[in-house]
C-alpha cells in the first residue's frame, strides 16, 4: 500500500494534466453532440419528408461508423482535402458527431412523448410549428430526456479515452505513457481507473437524482 501511495504522489501531477484534457474533450463533444442531436431530432419530427429521410439517413450512417474510425478519418484523412485540424479539435468534432446520433434518438423520444393534444391546441391558437416546439413541446421534453442524457454524459466521459488514438494526451494516454516508461502498470492503471471513477460518480449520482424525480411524478 505504501508503494502505491508513493507512486500516486509521483504520478498524480502528470495524470492530472490528462484529466484536464479529458474534461475539455468531454464538455466540448457533449455540447456539440447536444446541438447536432437536437437538430437531427427536430428534422425527424418536422413532418417534412425530405428532412425526415435526411436526418434518418445521417443518424444511421453515424451510428454505423465506429468512433475510432471517425477520429482517424477526421485527423488523418481530412488534411488530404485541405481541412487540417489539431488532434484536440478532431477528437471533439469526432466524438460530438458520433454521439449526436444517440442524442438525436433521445431527444426524438422525448418530443414524441408529449401529448399530441397539446400540439394541436397550440396550433389552433395560431402558434406555428417552431413556436409550438419552443414554448410547448421542448420545455416538457427536457424533463423526460434528462435521465438518459445523464447516461450519455457518463458514456461520453469514458469514450473520451478514444481521443488517445489520435495523440490527445488525455488521462488514458498519459497513463499509458507513464506505464511504458516506468513499467509500474498496476499502480498507474489503478490510478487511472480511480480517476475516471472519481469523475463518473458525480454524474452517476446526478442521473439517479433525475430518475428519482421523474419517478415521483
Amino acid at each position: 500500500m505504501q508503494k502505491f501511495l508513493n507512486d500516486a504522489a509521483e504520478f498524480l501531477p502528470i495524470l492530472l494534466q490528462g484529466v484536464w484534457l479529458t474534461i475539455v474533450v468531454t464538455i466540448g463533444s457533449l455540447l456539440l453532440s447536444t446541438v447536432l442531436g437536437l437538430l437531427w431530432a427536430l428534422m425527424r419530427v418536422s413532418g417534412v419528408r425530405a428532412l425526415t429521410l435526411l436526418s434518418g439517413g445521417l443518424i444511421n450512417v453515424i451510428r454505423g461508423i465506429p468512433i475510432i474510425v471517425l477520429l482517424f478519418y477526421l485527423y488523418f484523412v481530412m488534411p488530404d482535402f485541405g481541412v487540417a485540424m489539431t488532434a484536440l479539435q478532431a477528437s471533439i468534432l469526432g466524438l460530438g458527431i458520433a454521439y449526436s446520433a444517440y442524442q438525436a434518438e433521445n431527444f426524438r423520444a422525448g418530443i414524441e412523448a408529449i401529448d399530441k393534444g397539446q400540439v394541436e391546441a397550440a396550433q389552433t391558437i395560431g402558434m406555428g410549428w417552431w413556436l409550438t416546439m419552443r414554448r410547448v413541446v421542448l420545455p416538457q421534453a427536457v424533463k423526460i430526456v434528462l435521465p438518459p442524457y445523464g447516461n450519455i454524459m457518463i458514456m461520453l466521459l469514458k469514450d473520451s479515452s478514444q481521443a488517445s488514438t489520435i495523440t490527445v494526451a488525455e488521462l488514458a494516454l498519459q497513463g499509458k505513457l507513464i506505464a511504458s516508461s516506468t513499467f509500474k502498470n498496476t499502480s498507474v492503471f489503478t490510478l487511472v481507473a480511480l480517476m475516471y471513477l472519481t469523475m463518473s460518480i458525480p454524474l452517476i449520482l446526478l442521473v439517479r437524482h433525475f430518475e428519482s424525480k421523474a419517478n415521483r411524478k
Side-chain angles (χ1 to χ4, degrees):
M1 185 64 180
Q2 186 60 44
K3 180 176 179 298
F4 174 75
L5 293 176
N6 291 336
D7 290 340
E10 180 182 356
F11 301 144
L12 269 177
I14 302 173
L15 292 175
L16 285 173
Q17 296 176 20
V19 167
W20 168 245
L21 276 176
T22 294
I23 292 173
V24 170
V25 170
T26 301
I27 293 177
S29 51
L30 179 66
L31 292 175
L32 179 60
S33 67
T34 299
V35 172
L36 291 178
L38 183 57
L39 176 61
W40 308 150
L42 290 174
M43 290 169 65
R44 287 287 295 275
V45 301
S46 65
V48 179
R49 181 172 174 78
L51 293 179
T52 301
L53 292 175
L54 176 60
S55 62
L58 284 172
I59 291 170
N60 288 332
V61 169
I62 293 170
R63 291 174 70 178
I65 300 175
I67 293 175
I68 191 171
V69 175
L70 186 55
L71 292 176
F72 284 167
Y73 199 91
L74 290 172
Y75 189 59
F76 296 115
V77 178
M78 291 306 292
D80 293 342
F81 297 95
V83 181
M85 60 188 79
T86 66
L88 181 60
Q89 292 169 339
S91 63
I92 291 174
L93 181 59
L95 285 165
I97 292 173
Y99 269 83
S100 69
Y102 303 106
Q103 297 274 32
E105 292 303 292
N106 181 31
F107 291 140
R108 182 181 63 82
I111 291 171
E112 291 181 345
I114 305 303
D115 185 8
K116 302 298 182 185
Q118 296 187 41
V119 176
E120 293 172 358
Q123 291 174 342
T124 58
I125 61 173
M127 288 178 124
W129 182 87
W130 172 242
L131 191 59
T132 301
M133 279 290 163
R134 185 163 62 88
R135 292 190 177 180
V136 179
V137 177
L138 291 180
Q140 298 180 76
V142 166
K143 299 177 182 178
I144 297 171
V145 305
L146 276 178
Y149 187 83
N151 288 323
I152 289 174
M153 282 194 292
I154 297 169
M155 292 166 56
L156 190 47
L157 172 64
K158 294 186 292 184
D159 273 346
S160 65
S161 61
Q162 297 206 43
S164 64
T165 60
I166 55 172
T167 73
V168 176
E170 44 69 69
L171 180 56
L173 182 55
Q174 291 284 17
K176 182 180 178 181
L177 293 174
I178 295 172
S180 63
S181 62
T182 63
F183 301 103
K184 295 182 178 180
N185 296 318
T186 302
S187 295
V188 171
F189 289 115
T190 299
L191 280 171
V192 170
L194 289 173
M195 294 173 85
Y196 272 113
L197 188 60
T198 301
M199 290 187 285
S200 297
I201 284 176
L203 297 179
I204 293 170
L205 295 176
L206 188 63
V207 170
R208 288 184 179 177
H209 172 71
F210 288 141
E211 287 177 343
S212 63
K213 284 188 68 175
N215 291 334
R216 284 199 298 267
K217 293 180 180 180

